[in-house]
Amino acid sequence: NIWDKMDWFVIFHLTGWWAKAIVFRDYWMSFVLSVTFEILEYSLEHQLPNFGECWWDHWILDAIVCNGLGIWLGIKTLEFLESKTYDWRDLWQIPGTRSKFVRVLSQFTPHSWTKFDWGYTEDVKRWFAVIGICASIMIMDLNTFYLKAVLWIPPPHPANVYRCMLILFFGAVALRETYEYMSNPHCKRFGQQSWVAIAILITECMIIWKFGYEIVTKPFPTHVIVFWVAFIVIILAWSFWNFTYKLPRRKRTTSGREYSECTEDALGRRTKSE
């Protein structure tokens, strides 16, 4: 059974999550999205039969082997890009054929690299913004399978590969613009590629709704509804507790401690270590 699953889709899984990890530039976001997508496959297998897989196919072959290995390779690629040094010497001044070959390959890598710090729990707006980004990414991934089903596109068709590549490239720019808008206080406008990504997402959803109405309107099983209602309630309850009790209390404690230490140091009565 395991060898029967070893096809071109395994390679796409691994390379896809390698690329996603580079785009997200965050291990935990990539991991959460990977696990969430497997849960979505469980939840939607009544609409798309190809989501119905064995448990080991979901969690071992997909989540751990393909997704996990792809994410790990993506994080290692990020570490290489973040710590990379650049040699500005002329190509013919670099000694050794191997060094020349590495220099040629480095020509196709970014000139600089910005590390993402999403700061999920810094404030409530950022928290729900990250949730919105993750939800949009999940819908975009699900659209890949729904479009194939409602438009009768066979899996090996090149259109599927072209769509994934286009989404990867413009999605990377859109996510970079979104991060800049969220993190840079001087950035006052939402990026153009971010608006394009939203427009494409809405258009794909409209296509799926128009041509696959019978598929997307199939009623959800009771256990799926119960699970997602409980999941949303837990997220909202944790958000309320974290941003109305835990985070404000921690900020007050930190501010008070810093004020006390600065005052005591200024008066010379107590050192910071004491």
Side-chain angles (χ1 to χ4, degrees), residues 63 82 147 168 197 241 255:
E82 290 168 9
L147 287 172
L168 173 64
W241 170 77
S255 301

Side-chain angles (χ1 to χ4, degrees), residues 2-176:
I2 295 178
W3 288 113
D4 292 340
K5 297 292 184 179
M6 296 298 175
D7 54 9
W8 59 272
F9 194 71
V10 173
I11 305 299
F12 280 3
H13 247 249
L14 193 149
T15 55
W17 280 101
W18 168 77
K20 286 180 181 179
I22 295 177
V23 172
F24 304 150
R25 307 185 194 182
D26 186 273
Y27 170 78
W28 285 109
M29 178 180 285
S30 304
F31 175 77
V32 169
L33 288 173
S34 172
V35 173
T36 304
F37 190 80
E38 297 302 322
I39 297 175
L40 285 173
E41 286 188 343
Y42 274 118
S43 305
L44 297 170
E45 61 183 14
H46 67 286
Q47 295 182 358
L48 296 179
N50 59 314
F51 279 168
E53 300 172 336
C54 299
W55 66 268
W56 61 266
D57 200 347
H58 276 293
W59 300 112
I60 297 180
L61 184 59
D62 287 352
I64 297 178
V65 177
C66 297
N67 301 0
L69 181 59
I71 292 172
W72 181 80
L73 292 174
I75 297 302
K76 291 301 179 182
T77 304
L78 290 174
E79 293 176 356
F80 168 75
L81 293 173
E82 290 168 9
S83 61
K84 181 181 177 182
T85 58
Y86 294 89
D87 189 350
W88 296 101
R89 291 180 296 173
D90 182 75
L91 177 64
W92 305 111
Q93 295 179 355
I94 300 176
T97 304
R98 183 178 181 276
S99 300
K100 289 184 174 64
F101 180 71
V102 172
R103 174 64 180 84
V104 172
L105 291 180
S106 65
Q107 189 70 29
F108 299 95
T109 59
H111 175 270
S112 61
W113 196 261
T114 301
K115 184 178 181 180
F116 283 3
D117 182 8
W118 288 99
Y120 320 104
T121 58
E122 287 184 0
D123 58 72
V124 65
K125 290 183 179 180
R126 197 175 184 90
W127 168 247
F128 282 107
V130 172
I131 291 179
I133 292 171
C134 292
S136 300
I137 294 171
M138 288 290 95
I139 295 174
M140 189 73 77
D141 286 343
L142 288 174
N143 286 351
T144 304
F145 299 91
Y146 276 93
L147 287 172
K148 289 191 299 182
V150 303
L151 299 180
W152 300 349
I153 303 175
H157 197 279
N160 297 315
V161 180
Y162 297 154
R163 175 189 174 274
C164 291
M165 293 180 64
L166 287 173
I167 288 177
L168 173 64
F169 290 123
F170 80 72
V173 179
L175 197 62
R176 178 67 178 88

